[in-house]
């Protein structure tokens, strides 16, 4: 009888755990984070991009990265994707006869692939040792190799496939765009935006870039308009060109709670490799679960208390040295 | 007070060098050679890992699945000490031993896989630790549990060397150690499932759910019992002992209870989230989903009836199926149902497979050595 009662007690303890979890949830739900007010970023406009890849080369120089080869003759840097040594790349979309730019069927387009500097980055939430951090002011997501343990959880977590690991080295690091944060003190900004001849890659505060993006979406396709180059709010380097045919969607405005790098395109974003993401971030969901189960360690201690209580009564059985009595 | 009738544990005895230990030793040596290359030339030199699949079988099989297989100790201890089912007491030590090695090696296996292992102390450094990270919780919990398990197992060692006074002292606080030993695995086994949540839309809808932690916890417990069935059968055959059917039959009923609970939660979740249609699509994911489900459902038919549970062969097969099902749940979530974009493929390299085999061999080797020399398995009149 005793056994049955204790069995029920155990079941009850288990039930209490589940109930506690269910009740605790609303209190600790973690909202998706927003961009910091002064957050910095880039605006990439695929309709302005000519695919010259000056930004890819400039990125290599700014980050002291070696060339990577995909052709037989190893003549120049030809990476096919971002990697532990390539933080920025221009990918090409091609379809059918490739007659016109920014056209989905029988057309072609470009897409810049580099870190989006998410408002609520999965990589920062994932990193167990705070080697990935988001600057509270600039919002730049930076990497610290002196803390990184190389677990590659950030690589798995990022929805854009951005952090990459250097598998070819016994001391490999994670490589990813840090928005050239090491160049700010010399008055420089992101190298890709500095060198872009058309203003397809533009640097600035994300709040300003979002206004600029919306201004472009309101333009009449084909109409002459002025476009800034380099940096928003910097010296005037603007030029005039006909406006492109945009999809009415600023990618990064709302995805996963928003990103600090924004994108405009004429070809659907999924086709150029940018995933369709909900407005609530995965980091928020993951941390809500974590906080519900482990917030202030309340649940673990409650369960531990219950287990200790039950175990204390039951483990006594063990003290009778069975081996001696029978041996 | 059921366990007073049980035979006390005793060493099995016998030679340590035989065909089984020799083969295990060879695999262990290969493991060391491959690891030497890995540490001098980098992960890329021996693995097929890439940025689309940054985690391979060293993480998914050795750690995520390996630690779930090692839940026998926790599952049985929970039954004996928390649910006060003393009649299962003789199963505790062998199960605990297997768990001890499973976890210790999983912990060591993580180090092989870490790209910057010399920084690992940051995990326990207040200025670096990130408590929001699921990985952090898993790592700290597993480390703590390995220590706790060694403490739980310590009486066996103390017994062997006749340190009775120490053993009795340790036994006084054993209830607290055992309580910790049930809470810690509950925490990290569930969190191993939560690891997938932050991967978000990259996980196939059949395995993408916020109740991931519950699924992983329930299957870890089920797998724990399944492993005990498996081990008991193998150990009895290998050491030519009687199979402990008087315990295994009721134990398998407990296991079925957890299995039914799991299936209810799992199926309910897939239906509620509207992911069920994806299971009928023509895709690899759908195929492996049904395979996984079949492994979980088949044991209900195999050992659903009390009479069938008295048949050791059926218990053995059911145990294997549940281990396989739990393994598939994890492989499907972490590897097959994980999609980072076009152009990335992963299949483990020969070296990766050999390292995993080497780890497994080390476990078997240690289990044989310890059961032959230390009091783990119940004493029996005629051994070998
Ligand atoms: S530098 Fe500007 S125009 Fe040239 S590829 Fe980069 S984004 Fe496009
Ligand atoms: S794009 Fe990826 S790497 Fe960059 S901040 Fe977002 S989650 Fe992190
Ligand atoms: S690989 Fe490094 S940066 Fe990425 S999650 Fe692991 S410790 Fe953090």
């Amino acid at each position: 009888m005793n056994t049955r009662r204790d069995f029920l007690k155990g079941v009850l303890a288990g039930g209490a755990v589940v109930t506690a979890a269910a009740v605790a949830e609303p209190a600790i739900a973690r909202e998706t984070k927003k961009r910091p007010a002064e957050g910095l970023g880039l605006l990439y406009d695929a309709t302005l991009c000519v695919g010259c890849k000056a930004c890819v080369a400039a990125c290599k120089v700014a980050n002291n990265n070696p060339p990577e080869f995909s052709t037989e003759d190893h003549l120049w840097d030809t990476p096919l994707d971002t990697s532990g040594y390539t933080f920025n790349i221009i990918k090409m979309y091609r379809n059918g006869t490739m007659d016109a730019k920014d056209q989905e069927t029988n057309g072609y387009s470009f897409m810049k692939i580099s870190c989006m500097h998410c408002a609520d980055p999965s990589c920062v939430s994932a990193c167990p040792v705070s080697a990935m951090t988001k600057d509270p002011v600039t919002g730049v997501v930076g990497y610290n190799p002196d803390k990184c343990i190389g677990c590659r959880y950030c690589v798995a977590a990022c929805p854009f496939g951005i952090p990459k690991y250097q598998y070819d080295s016994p001391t490999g690091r994670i490589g990813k765009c840090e928005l050239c944060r090491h160049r700010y003190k010399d008055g420089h900004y992101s190298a890709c935006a500095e060198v872009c001849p058309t203003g397809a890659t533009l640097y600035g505060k994300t709040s300003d870039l979002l206004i600029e993006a919306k201004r472009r979406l309101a333009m009449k396709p084909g109409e002459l308009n002025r476009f800034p180059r380099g940096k928003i709010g910097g010296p005037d380097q603007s030029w005039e060109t006909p406006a492109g045919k945009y999809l009415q969607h600023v990618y990064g405005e709302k995805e996963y709670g928003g990103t600090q790098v924004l994108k405009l395109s004429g070809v659907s974003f999924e086709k150029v490799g940018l995933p369709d993401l909900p407005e609530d971030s995965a980091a928020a969901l993951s941390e809500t679960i974590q906080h519900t189960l482990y917030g202030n360690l309340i649940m673990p201690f409650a369960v531990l208390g219950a287990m200790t209580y039950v175990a204390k009564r039951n483990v006594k059985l063990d003290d009778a040295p069975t081996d001696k009595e029978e041996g | 007070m059921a366990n007073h009738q049980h035979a006390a544990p005793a060493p099995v005895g016998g030679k340590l060098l035989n065909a089984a230990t020799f083969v295990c030793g060879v695999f262990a040596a290969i493991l060391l050679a491959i690891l030497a290359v890995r540490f001098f030339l980098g992960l890329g030199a021996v693995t097929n890992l890439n940025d689309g699949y940054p985690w391979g079988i060293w993480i998914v099989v050795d750690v995520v699945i390996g630690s779930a297989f090692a839940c026998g100790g926790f599952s049985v201890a929970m039954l004996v000490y928390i649910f006060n089912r003393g009649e299962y007491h003789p199963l505790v030590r062998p199960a605990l031993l297997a768990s001890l090695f499973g976890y210790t090696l999983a912990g060591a296996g993580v180090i092989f896989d870490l790209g910057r292992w010399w920084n690992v102390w940051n995990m326990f450094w207040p200025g670096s630790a990130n408590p929001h990270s699921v990985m952090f919780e898993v790592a700290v919990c597993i480390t703590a549990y390995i220590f706790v398990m060694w403490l739980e197992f310590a009486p066996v060692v103390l017994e062997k060397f006749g340190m009775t006074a120490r053993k009795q002292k340790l036994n006084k606080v054993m209830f607290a150690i055992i309580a910790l030993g049930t809470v810690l695995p509950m925490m990290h086994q569930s969190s191993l499932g939560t690891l997938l949540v932050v991967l978000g839309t990259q996980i196939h809808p059949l395995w993408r759910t916020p109740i991931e932690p519950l699924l992983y916890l329930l299957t870890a417990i089920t797998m724990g019992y399944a492993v005990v069935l498996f081990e008991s059968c193998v150990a009895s055959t290998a050491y030519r002992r009687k199979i402990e059917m008087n315990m295994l039959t009721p134990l398998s009923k407990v296991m079925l209870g957890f299995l039914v609970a799991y299936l209810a939660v799992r199926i309910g979740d897939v239906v509620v989230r509207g992911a069920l249609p994806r299971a009928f699509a023509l895709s690899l994911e759908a195929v492996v989903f049904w395979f996984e489900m079949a492994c979980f459902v088949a044991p209900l038919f195999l050992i659903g009836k009390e009479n069938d549970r008295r048949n050791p062969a059926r218990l053995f097969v059911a145990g294997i199926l549940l281990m396989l099902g739990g393994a598939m749940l994890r492989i499907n979530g972490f590897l097959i149902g994980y999609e980072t974009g076009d152009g990335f493929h992963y299949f483990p390299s020969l070296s990766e497979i050999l390292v995993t085999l080497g780890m497994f061999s080390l476990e078997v080797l240690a289990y044989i050595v310890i059961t032959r020399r230390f009091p783990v398995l119940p004493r029996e009149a005629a051994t070998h």
Side-chain angles (χ1 to χ4, degrees), chain A residues 114-118 121-124 132 141 157-163 176:
Chain A
S114 57
C115 177
M116 301 290 284
H117 297 279
C118 305
S122 304
C123 59
V124 171
M132 288 284 178
V141 175
C158 171
F160 304 103
I162 293 304
K176 85 177 250 311

Side-chain angles (χ1 to χ4, degrees), chain B residues 223-287:
Chain B
M223 288 159 87
Y225 294 127
V227 166
V228 172
L229 295 184
F230 173 81
E231 268 163 17
S232 300
C233 291
V234 172
S236 330
T237 320
Y239 291 150
R240 289 189 212 104
R241 302 155 61 96
K242 251 195 5 259
I243 298 190
E244 306 114 326
M245 289 308 289
N246 59 324
M247 283 179 274
L248 298 188
T249 302
L251 182 80
S252 61
K253 195 168 171 192
V254 175
M255 177 179 82
L256 285 187
F258 278 101
L259 174 60
V260 169
Y262 165 72
L263 281 172
V265 174
R266 173 78 161 121
I267 296 169
D269 171 66
V270 169
V271 172
V272 168
R273 283 185 299 106
L276 196 58
R278 300 297 292 267
F280 296 99
L282 260 185
S283 66
L284 175 64
E285 284 84 357
V287 173

